[in-house]
């Protein structure tokens, strides 16, 4: 069965500093990986995905993520954090070898960017 | 264009009552998903439709939960004999196909008293 781990409940970073939100996954086949962001009282918004190809994926709002197969990781990064990036971030995975399986989400990481 | 919409945004009901939650997906999206999100947790899969049929309902917690999508567009999640443990945010998402990114609605917050 597929699973996702987001080891940090909370990440605090100063505005202008680089940020990293960690995600590791477990699937039996090849992973399809996604990052979503959730603002208060709003639905989840898609940030980026990795299906195949380049390991470095660029997404919305200046975010990027690096797929690392040997470490089974897909960490979310941004070179310079903004206060407006403060939100709840979710990593999700699907197993490409298991037919039409649903997304499995991590429990989320709350990012707080301090001015 | 319009995104995924869900109604109502909030629903308060009493234990034992029946509730219906509605989802309007993005026009043309063939895949529709229901998730449940409890406080401090990520969304948990409930059921997925491809067109009118439920392709995977393995996430439904028990037979009190049921969902339909009769015309391949709007979907309704139905919960019978609600229990306090059903209180959560219910999220709907749609995608062009199973491999596309899922676009989420704002959710329906269900509170069972």
């Amino acid at each position: 069965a597929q699973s996702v781990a987001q080891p940090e409940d909370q990440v605090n970073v100063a505005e202008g500093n680089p940020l990293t939100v960690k995600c590791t996954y477990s699937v039996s086949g090849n992973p399809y990986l996604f990052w979503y962001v959730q603002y208060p009282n709003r639905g989840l918004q898609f940030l980026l995905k990795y299906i195949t190809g380049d390991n470095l994926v660029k997404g919305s709002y200046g975010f990027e993520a690096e797929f690392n197969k040997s470490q089974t990781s897909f960490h979310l990064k941004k070179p310079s954090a903004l206060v407006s990036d403060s939100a709840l971030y979710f990593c999700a995975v699907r197993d490409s070898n298991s037919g039409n399986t649903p997304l499995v989400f991590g429990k989320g990481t709350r990012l707080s960017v301090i001015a | 264009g319009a995104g995924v919409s869900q109604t109502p945004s909030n629903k308060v009901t009493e234990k034992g009552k029946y509730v219906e939650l509605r989802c309007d997906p993005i026009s043309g999206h063939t895949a529709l998903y229901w998730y449940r999100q409890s406080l401090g947790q990520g969304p948990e899969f409930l059921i997925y439709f491809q067109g009118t049929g439920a392709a995977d309902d393995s996430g439904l917690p028990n037979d009190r939960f049921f969902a339909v999508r009769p015309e391949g567009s709007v979907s309704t999640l139905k919960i019978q004999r609600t229990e306090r443990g059903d209180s959560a945010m219910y999220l709907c998402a749609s995608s062009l196909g199973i491999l596309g990114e899922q676009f989420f609605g704002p959710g329906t917050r269900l509170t069972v008293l």
Side-chain angles (χ1 to χ4, degrees), chain A residues 32 34 36 38 41-46 49 51 88 90 94 96 99-108, chain B residues 33 35 37 40-45 48 55-56 58 89 91 98-107 109:
Chain A
Y32 294 154
F34 302 79
Y36 284 83
Q38 187 174 37
N41 301 316
R42 303 265 301 269
L44 277 75
Q45 296 179 32
F46 170 78
K49 67 180 178 182
I51 302 296
L88 195 52
F90 291 97
R94 282 189 63 232
S96 66
N100 294 337
T101 54
L103 281 177
V104 173
F105 283 83
K107 64 178 182 169
Chain B
Y33 312 79
Y35 293 86
Q37 185 178 18
Q41 300 296 320
E44 294 179 322
F45 169 76
Y48 144 63
D56 184 348
S58 62
M89 176 72 84
L91 297 171
I98 184 64
L99 295 183
E101 56 265 31
Q102 295 178 19
F103 294 85
F104 282 78
R109 182 168 297 283

Side-chain angles (χ1 to χ4, degrees), chain A residues 53-114:
Chain A
D54 287 342
N55 289 343
L56 184 64
V57 178
K58 294 188 182 296
S60 307
Y61 312 121
F63 283 93
E64 58 188 31
E66 186 165 12
F67 170 61
N68 188 316
K69 187 171 184 177
S70 63
Q71 296 185 4
T72 62
S73 67
F74 190 57
H75 301 330
L76 182 70
K77 301 184 179 187
K78 186 172 182 180
S80 178
L82 300 173
V83 171
S84 58
D85 293 330
S86 299
L88 195 52
Y89 290 81
F90 291 97
C91 181
V93 69
R94 282 189 63 232
D95 188 340
S96 66
N97 288 359
S98 299
N100 294 337
T101 54
L103 281 177
V104 173
F105 283 83
K107 64 178 182 169
T109 298
R110 185 166 299 282
L111 173 67
S112 180
V113 181
I114 304 158

Side-chain angles (χ1 to χ4, degrees), chain B residues 11-19 64 79-87 110-113:
Chain B
K11 177 70 177 178
V12 180
T13 190
E14 294 179 342
K15 180 176 179 295
K17 299 290 188 183
Y18 168 83
V19 296
R64 295 187 297 105
I79 310 174
Q80 298 176 322
R81 304 183 304 280
T82 51
E83 300 178 357
R84 293 193 179 88
D86 298 335
S87 296
L110 175 66
T111 303
V112 182
L113 301 176

